[in-house]
Amino acid sequence: MALQVTGMCPLIQVFDMTASVRFYCEGLGFEVVAASPEIEAAEGRYFHWCRLRLGPAELMLNTAYDANERPPVRDAARQAAHQDTGLYFGCDDVDAIHAALRARGLEVSPPKDAPYGMRQIWLRDPDGYQLCFQRSV
């Protein structure tokens, strides 16, 4: 019997929850649909976990450090390891998304047609995770 699923929601760990939520919500247009209770810590007021939604796409963020344990700067090795993780978003109009993201001040590559038949744009989130918006050509 085949497995029956209704979706998938990756979970990624983030250094600064406030910065990540700002990037995904203000920069990309996601909305927070669920979150753990907010806490007050040396790093500020934030929640440790949230689930975001943009249309049918969902993504969960979790803090990489417990309250009052986050180092003052990002761990370069940890950040570099995130380059192996890619989140791919299907869309109808890559060029329009490119224009919208640029208008929001995000650094995003120009649209390109990949040799495997996808039109794509690429950018990175604050933690170095690769994001790709794509459609078939």
Side-chain angles (χ1 to χ4, degrees), residues 92-126:
D92 292 330
D93 190 341
V94 173
D95 296 273
I97 288 182
H98 178 261
L101 296 178
R102 296 275 301 167
R104 293 176 183 176
L106 296 176
E107 271 189 49
V108 57
S109 67
K112 289 169 80 174
D113 293 339
Y116 43 84
M118 301 301 283
R119 183 154 183 81
Q120 302 173 314
I121 57 172
W122 297 86
L123 68 155
R124 291 197 182 274
D125 80 354

Side-chain angles (χ1 to χ4, degrees), residues 2-3 29-30 32 40 43 45 62 66 68 81 83 88-89 96 101 105 109 111-113 133 136:
L3 297 178
F30 277 82
V32 177
E40 189 70 44
E43 303 88 6
R45 185 167 182 76
N62 197 71
D66 288 331
N68 305 312
Q83 293 179 24
Y88 291 76
F89 300 91
L101 296 178
S109 67
K112 289 169 80 174
D113 293 339
F133 289 84
S136 295

Side-chain angles (χ1 to χ4, degrees), residues 76-86 122 124 127-130:
R78 182 182 192 106
Q79 185 99 1
H82 293 166
Q83 293 179 24
D84 288 347
T85 301
W122 297 86
R124 291 197 182 274
D127 289 278
Y129 295 106
Q130 286 190 107

Side-chain angles (χ1 to χ4, degrees), residues 46-64:
Y46 64 96
F47 37 76
H48 280 286
W49 168 89
C50 69
R51 183 167 44 96
L52 307 174
R53 183 178 296 140
L54 177 61
E58 291 192 343
L59 176 64
M60 291 184 291
L61 307 178
N62 197 71
T63 54

